[in-house]
Amino acid sequence: MSTLSLDNVTLRYAADHGSSPPVLAAIDLTLEHGEFVVVIGRSGSGKTSLLSLAAGFVAPSSGRIAIDGKPVSGPGSDRAVVFQDDALYPWLTALDNVAFPMRLRGVPTAERLEKARQLLVRVGLPDAADRHVWELSGGMRQRVGIARALASDPTFLLMDEPLGALDALTRGRMQGFILDVWQTSGVGALLITHSIEEALLLATRVIVLAPNPGRIVSEIRTTFGRDHLAGAPLSEIRSSAAFRRLHDELTALIHAEDEGIAA
Amino acid sequence: MSLSLESPPSVLHAPRDIAGGPENKRPRSPMPLAWISLATIVALLFLWSLAASYGLVSPLFLPSPLAVYRALQGLAVTGFVDATLAQHAIASLVRIFGALAVAIALGVPVGLAIGTSRLGKGILDPIVEFLRPLPPLAYLPLVIIWLGIGEASKIAVIALAMLPPIILSTATGVRSASRDHVNAARAFGASRLQVLRHVILPSALPSILTGTRIALGAGWSTLVAAELVAATRGLGFMIQSAAQFLVTDVVIAGIIVIAAVAFVFEMTARLLERWLVPWSTRR
């Protein structure tokens, strides 16, 4: 059981030292193995910065980021990242993209291609292996991106609005897919989104961020994702009373922040 | 009423406009661009023969297209100043590609250093900016003093003319690498060298190829100058000697050959681009 933890983390960008509020202030967050934490907040609340910190792309201005107590000094293959704009390499085929993390580790060609093929089957794209990235639809690209992330056998899967650029129909299907991947891989998932519905459907825990400075204002535990994995269809969950109530609650929370700024 | 009659046809036309876009397999453009270009060439040739056959210009200045064609034939078979056309052309091509190899081997690493490291940029930028605006003819005498009048000095001058476009386009290409692409590799545990090899270099490749195309153009124009000094073979040398004896038809034939070779270069480079970096135009 691994734990990714952020202890009292503050992030300031060097340019605005002192003058403006920090991007993120006093963030305390833990992500356990097997958990699905969704971070939601209005734009400017530092969602993506939070993910960059967890991934190790940026270092905190103060505070501590650690995995099982060991401080994180940079990006590492234990924390795979899925990007909003897929970040697949256009000069590689879908298969080679998935095999890329293994190539970096020096896994022999035949072995890594075989494993990449299995991963493509697992994300439902057995026929996409030799296709170029630009020949794939947005939803397929994100599936390849997730397969590539899984190829590094991560302990944590960090996803930055992975469904943000997709149309509503594809989005709905991909939410079920992400839950499935999360369950079968047993990773600790951290997902950034601005969709309340998505947050409630996927998360075991929803973290609400508020801007100026970016800070955690609320934390809600949900079980809708697990209900879906246990067999409840997404449409039924979405129309259930419990879901509607939490949806309203979350909307009010984020809306309240708006009023707070206007005042 | 008239409004409602007019608007439906425009709505009906809209999908057809979309179908006529560049993505469509059956474009219905009125006349292919190549035809217009071909017609222009034919018209120019016609005017040229007209001017020659009516004696509007002395053959010493402008020989007829037929005379130039015969000169080309003669060049190919018997040659001019002790070498056939093929030998002249090969001598020039060896210089161009020798210089290109040197320029790429030096320019790409220098461009990568400028694009990826502050130290590299600080050290190399002033050197490149010093070299870039200099006309090759200005440093040709110096290179001859240093390297003599053999092949080395010719290749060096051409390579020096090719270096700046390759260096600058490589550095630009490095800067065009997407941050997500770099971050993704870092998240998968890539070392700095692996990021360079697997992400930055492929990202910069389209730009490097464009730079190589520009460099070929620059090298081609420097070639003629480089062959003015102590060459015994080469297209530039051939034209220069023909001009000294006022063999105008050979001069024009030489110019046409140079233009044709440059055209083939350009087409090859474009094909290479489509084959090596097919993603650069999509995505």
Side-chain angles (χ1 to χ4, degrees):
Chain A
M1 285 288 275
S2 296
T3 309
L4 173 65
S5 58
L6 283 74
D7 286 328
N8 197 20
V9 164
T10 297
L11 178 68
R12 271 176 209 282
Y13 286 118
D16 46 52
H17 238 297
S19 55
S20 56
V23 184
L24 288 166
I27 300 288
D28 280 310
L29 178 68
T30 57
L31 174 62
E32 304 265 349
H33 195 75
E35 242 192 328
F36 201 134
V37 172
V38 174
V39 176
I40 189 167
R42 300 189 311 121
S43 48
S45 57
K47 302 190 293 282
T48 297
S49 300
L50 183 63
L51 186 126
S52 298
L53 280 167
F57 298 147
V58 292
S61 311
S62 70
R64 204 173 105 94
I65 300 170
I67 293 172
D68 298 333
K70 276 176 63 185
V72 163
S73 58
S77 57
D78 52 347
R79 286 152 288 142
V81 182
V82 175
F83 297 83
Q84 174 173 15
D85 176 29
D86 68 66
L88 296 175
Y89 300 118
W91 50 87
L92 300 178
T93 60
L95 187 71
D96 287 333
N97 262 293
V98 177
F100 183 71
M102 296 181 270
R103 185 174 176 190
L104 293 177
R105 282 206 312 265
V107 176
T109 312
E111 190 186 329
R112 68 169 185 255
L113 290 184
E114 179 51 35
K115 198 178 167 206
R117 232 175 266 281
Q118 288 169 7
L119 280 164
L120 278 178
V121 171
R122 186 162 151 202
V123 298
L125 296 172
D127 302 325
D130 298 322
R131 308 261 297 270
H132 289 287
V133 171
W134 68 79
E135 295 168 326
L136 303 174
S137 68
M140 289 162 97
R141 284 186 190 196
Q142 283 303 8
R143 282 172 191 258
V144 174
I146 289 168
R148 180 177 69 172
L150 294 176
S152 62
D153 283 324
T155 322
F156 302 100
L157 187 58
L158 314 177
M159 296 172 272
D160 186 8
E161 297 196 36
L163 311 182
L166 304 182
D167 62 274
L169 279 173
T170 315
R171 205 172 170 142
R173 244 181 302 136
M174 288 293 286
Q175 287 164 351
F177 165 73
I178 286 181
L179 274 175
D180 211 50
V181 165
W182 165 65
Q183 191 191 35
T184 51
S185 61
V187 292
L190 178 73
L191 184 138
I192 308 292
T193 186
H194 54 248
S195 155
I196 294 171
E197 188 181 287
E198 189 166 295
L200 288 175
L201 278 178
L202 298 177
T204 55
R205 231 171 0 125
V206 179
I207 304 282
V208 183
L209 281 187
N212 294 315
R215 63 197 188 280
I216 296 174
V217 289
S218 186
E219 194 175 321
I220 299 169
R221 288 188 180 272
T222 63
T223 55
F224 301 113
R226 291 206 158 118
D227 292 348
H228 172 64
L229 288 171
L234 284 177
S235 55
E236 199 173 283
I237 293 172
R238 282 197 194 96
S239 56
S240 70
F243 187 86
R244 296 256 50 102
R245 192 177 50 78
L246 266 181
H247 193 290
D248 290 347
E249 223 170 86
L250 262 178
T251 313
L253 251 173
I254 294 167
H255 191 63
E257 274 308 315
D258 277 350
E259 284 173 348
I261 284 165
Chain B
M1 190 63 199
S2 68
L3 254 175
S4 67
L5 270 176
E6 267 171 30
S7 51
S10 69
V11 171
L12 283 175
H13 273 291
R16 219 186 265 174
D17 284 346
I18 293 162
E23 295 299 316
N24 197 285
K25 291 259 164 34
R26 296 164 290 153
R28 298 193 303 131
S29 60
M31 196 199 270
L33 208 59
W35 284 45
I36 300 173
S37 306
L38 203 70
T40 309
I41 294 170
V42 171
L44 283 175
L45 275 176
F46 178 70
L47 283 177
W48 178 10
S49 13
L50 219 62
S53 60
Y54 282 98
L56 294 178
V57 188
S58 152
L60 186 66
F61 294 119
L62 188 67
S64 70
L66 197 67
V68 172
Y69 176 72
R70 292 219 178 92
L72 262 177
Q73 269 187 327
L75 278 173
V77 182
T78 55
F80 189 75
V81 282
D82 302 329
T84 63
L85 182 62
Q87 286 170 321
H88 284 303
I90 286 169
S92 291
L93 287 176
V94 165
R95 284 170 196 143
I96 286 282
F97 283 105
L100 185 66
V102 172
I104 289 176
L106 276 175
V108 171
V110 168
L112 288 177
I114 289 178
T116 53
S117 114
R118 262 176 59 83
L119 189 67
K121 187 175 166 65
I123 294 172
L124 296 165
D125 225 21
I127 302 174
V128 176
E129 285 307 313
F130 171 75
L131 181 65
R132 195 175 57 87
L134 287 180
L137 278 178
Y139 48 73
L140 177 61
L142 183 65
V143 173
I144 288 170
I145 292 173
W146 285 350
L147 297 175
I149 51 170
E151 284 302 293
S153 62
K154 293 178 189 62
I155 290 177
V157 167
I158 299 167
L160 279 173
M162 285 175 160
L163 264 174
I166 290 181
I167 292 173
L168 292 177
S169 65
T170 305
T172 309
V174 167
R175 281 189 283 272
S176 76
S178 114
R179 207 172 67 186
D180 278 356
H181 280 160
V182 173
N183 273 344
R186 290 174 64 208
F188 298 133
S191 64
R192 270 185 67 108
L193 204 67
Q194 279 178 319
V195 170
L196 192 69
R197 155 83 184 76
H198 293 295
V199 182
I200 304 229
L201 199 60
S203 300
L205 196 56
S207 181
I208 294 175
L209 283 178
T210 306
T212 305
R213 253 165 69 185
I214 298 170
L216 269 177
W220 212 214
S221 44
T222 310
L223 172 82
V224 179
E227 287 179 347
L228 287 180
V229 180
T232 53
R233 265 177 200 178
L235 292 172
F237 162 73
M238 184 185 88
I239 291 174
Q240 179 63 20
S241 346
Q244 276 166 1
F245 299 116
L246 284 178
V247 193
T248 318
D249 47 2
V250 170
V251 172
I252 293 178
I255 289 170
I256 288 173
V257 169
I258 286 184
V261 173
F263 180 74
V264 171
F265 276 6
E266 181 68 19
M267 288 299 126
T268 315
R270 283 186 196 181
L271 271 180
L272 213 63
E273 222 158 69
R274 213 172 301 162
W275 176 59
L276 279 176
V277 292
W279 72 83
S280 65
T281 49
R282 330 224 182 167
R283 175 128 186 113

